[in-house]
Amino acid sequence: MRISDEDYLWFAGRALDGMAAILAELGDDRANRRPPLPGANTPYAIVTHCLGVLEFWAGSLVAGRAVERDRDAEFTASGPVSVLAERVAAAKDQLRADLTVAEPAEPLRAPAPAKYADTPAGRSQGGALQHVYEELAQHHGQLELTRDILR
């Protein structure tokens, strides 16, 4: 079974658009605020992390683009919501371009992180793309809960 690029982009875009809407609703102050929970991240950091996931998994491992990622920095990122919303829009465009070279049944174009090497996410481009969606969906839900706490 293979999902079409358009269908995949619809699902991924829905998660990304939902995250951007939450950021806009929260505004700069609340989007950069941590909820009072142990280990919680700001909404800004959650979305920044999702963009890092897209760049690394879809950009590097699937499309073969050279990507430099500082995963730790994703969780301390802060800034204006408008800038991050522009990055979300650009990431959606980049994902569309990355899918044009994806070969779902083929191995990754770069090594997966060790903890994923023996999983479907680490064995094929299609598995990596499924992992991207998994991350977007779970973090969209996390962001909804974070928004509710911050309101």
Side-chain angles (χ1 to χ4, degrees), residues 9-137:
L9 289 165
W10 185 86
F11 283 105
R14 189 170 173 212
L16 289 163
D17 291 343
M19 288 186 231
I22 290 169
L23 289 172
E25 176 188 337
L26 290 173
D28 290 340
D29 180 53
R30 285 188 293 180
N32 286 284
R33 193 181 303 166
R34 283 183 199 280
L37 300 169
N41 292 299
T42 68
Y44 196 99
I46 293 167
V47 176
T48 300
H49 170 63
C50 287
L51 299 181
V53 166
L54 277 167
E55 271 294 287
F56 179 74
W57 286 88
S60 177
L61 303 186
V62 172
R65 290 188 292 109
V67 170
E68 289 187 33
R69 181 183 188 197
D70 183 348
R71 188 177 186 281
D72 291 338
E74 294 166 12
F75 296 102
T76 60
S78 64
V81 165
S82 61
V83 171
L84 191 53
E86 289 172 9
R87 290 183 56 214
V88 169
K92 288 173 58 180
D93 290 340
Q94 184 61 62
L95 179 59
R96 176 176 295 282
D98 290 343
L99 287 179
T100 65
V101 297
E103 299 177 271
E106 294 300 313
L108 301 176
R109 296 180 197 268
K115 77 179 196 175
Y116 292 100
D118 292 326
T119 71
R123 288 194 295 261
S124 72
Q125 292 177 35
L129 289 169
Q130 183 60 38
H131 178 62
V132 167
Y133 179 71
E134 171 188 42
E135 289 285 313
L136 293 178

